[in-house]
Amino acid sequence: MALRAGAGTVVVDNFDDIDRLEHLLEHDREARARAPQRVLIRVIPDVDADTHEAMATGHRHSKFGLAVPDAVRAAARLRGDERLLLEGLHVHVGSQLLDTAPFARAVEAIAAIGELGEHAVYDLGGGLGVRYTYADRPPTIEEYVRTLTDAARKHLPATARLLIEPGRSLVAGAATTLYRAVTVKHGPRTLVAVDGGMGDNLEPMLYGQRFEATVGTRVGGGVGCDLMGRHCESGDTLIRDVPLRDPRVGDVIAVPVTGAYCLSLANNYNGARRPPVVFCADGTSREVVRRETYEDLLRRDV
Ligand SMILES: Cc1ncc(COP(=O)(O)O)c(C=O)c1O
């Protein structure tokens, strides 16, 4: 698909990817017409990022990319094939990094591959963390970019082109999830159950990501409550010990900073229908993704 669509650059992760590209460029007429295909090599920088292990992607045993000696071999192979044009390297150390040091270490690590030409591309991936909780202090965009450019000046050729892919930090703060409280149980802990959960936000369950929350009409204050999802697991806990002021059935409970990896990880577990998405600005709103229906859930049944 990438070759036929004329993708400018393909990132190869392994030697099988190179085999596949070579095969297509040999046998697929449409793909062949577009040769030479530009490629980057994904490199394992052997950098431990301080994030949840499921989101760390640059450590020694990462499943993504090639270790430096293998990347050197891949580069030699690509240079020997005129249908492929080695444009540079790609690295991604992980997501939700609150410290800039691993970014700099990754640049230093990929410099070990050696010179790739005057206009080589160094795609440094994503990783810039987001402020999910009051306590989080992610780097500013300026600190993040300064870290990358300082490391590039130190370790890469002066004419290197840098690319970045900061997905999470671009979109996370753009969304707030609005739930409706359906049950409030007072016991040893106050449990506030809502009409959503791991079907619309898997970040707490997959990555231990903590969020904040508030009652829509009573912002601030309150006592620590556990915000529970509606699914059939105790693990369907959205937030433990989050202060909510006098939560009651029917309240809107707002969970901010849900713009990244929530909708894309949303699922139909327990037959839950995925929520709609509404864009709001300047006092107006517009539905851009409609609420899923039960008919949607049955649509693929044969
Ligand atoms: C190759 C690559 N680039 C960029 C990103 C986005 O990273 P982030 O979530 O840190 O913005 C990802 C996410 O997994 C990725 O795999």
Side-chain angles (χ1 to χ4, degrees):
M1 281 174 72
L3 294 199
R4 287 191 176 164
T9 302
V10 173
V11 181
V12 297
D13 169 271
N14 53 62
F15 289 98
D16 298 326
D17 280 351
I18 301 176
D19 288 345
R20 266 186 286 273
L21 285 176
E22 285 180 341
H23 181 83
L24 283 168
L25 289 165
E26 180 71 37
H27 300 288
D28 184 294
R29 205 157 42 88
E30 269 179 72
R32 203 169 49 219
R34 296 183 184 278
Q37 174 62 47
R38 295 200 298 272
V39 293
L40 302 181
I41 301 171
R42 171 89 177 240
V43 182
I44 299 177
D46 191 6
V47 166
D48 289 321
D50 186 16
T51 187
H52 191 279
E53 65 167 337
M55 295 195 287
T57 50
H59 53 290
R60 179 167 306 179
H61 300 298
S62 172
K63 70 173 178 174
F64 303 102
L66 292 168
V68 167
D70 292 329
V72 170
R73 280 199 301 126
R77 177 165 161 196
L78 291 168
R79 281 199 199 93
D81 189 334
E82 65 203 14
R83 294 161 300 183
L84 293 165
L85 183 65
L86 176 59
E87 204 182 21
L89 304 175
H90 179 272
V91 73
H92 172 63
V93 286
S95 194
Q96 186 55 11
L97 272 61
L98 298 175
D99 172 24
T100 55
F103 296 122
R105 288 204 297 275
V107 172
E108 182 175 359
I110 57 173
I113 305 282
E115 293 259 344
L116 293 171
E118 223 182 307
H119 301 292
V121 169
Y122 293 85
D123 184 332
L124 305 176
L128 178 58
V130 166
R131 191 173 185 214
Y132 284 100
T133 70
Y134 297 118
D136 287 340
R137 291 280 175 268
T140 62
I141 292 173
E142 288 75 15
E143 285 164 348
Y144 165 65
V145 171
R146 203 178 318 120
T147 301
L148 296 179
T149 51
D150 283 355
R153 286 202 183 91
K154 204 160 155 198
H155 301 290
L156 301 180
T159 51
R161 281 178 60 209
L162 301 186
L163 301 184
I164 52 171
E165 306 169 345
R168 181 190 297 269
S169 59
L170 282 174
V171 295
T176 293
T177 302
L178 301 180
Y179 298 107
R180 189 73 69 178
V182 287
T183 298
V184 179
K185 276 195 224 177
H186 296 284
R189 304 201 49 77
T190 300
L191 305 182
V192 178
V194 295
D195 59 349
M198 62 195 295
D200 56 81
N201 187 353
L202 270 172
E203 288 258 311
M205 302 81 197
L206 289 180
Y207 314 124
Q209 183 57 57
R210 185 169 172 88
F211 290 78
E212 302 285 358
T214 181
V215 178
T217 50
R218 291 183 296 285
V219 176
V223 296
C225 303
D226 291 343
L227 193 66
M228 312 305 289
R230 61 177 157 175
H231 299 267
C232 63
E233 328 233 332
S234 296
D236 185 22
T237 300
L238 284 164
I239 319 174
R240 282 215 185 277
D241 202 17
V242 62
L244 295 175
R245 179 138 60 95
D246 189 19
R248 299 170 214 160
V249 170
D251 279 344
V252 168
I253 308 288
V255 175
V257 202
T258 53
Y261 300 109
C262 291
L263 185 67
S264 52
L265 280 168
N267 61 81
N268 300 120
Y269 185 40
N270 289 155
R273 293 162 302 162
R274 287 174 291 180
V277 178
V278 181
F279 280 0
C280 306
D282 304 324
T284 62
S285 64
R286 179 163 61 95
E287 190 180 50
V288 291
V289 179
R290 69 163 170 78
R291 185 184 297 281
E292 212 163 27
T293 63
Y294 288 119
E295 289 70 38
D296 289 330
L297 299 190
L298 299 175
R299 190 153 287 154
R300 291 188 310 135
D301 287 9
V302 291

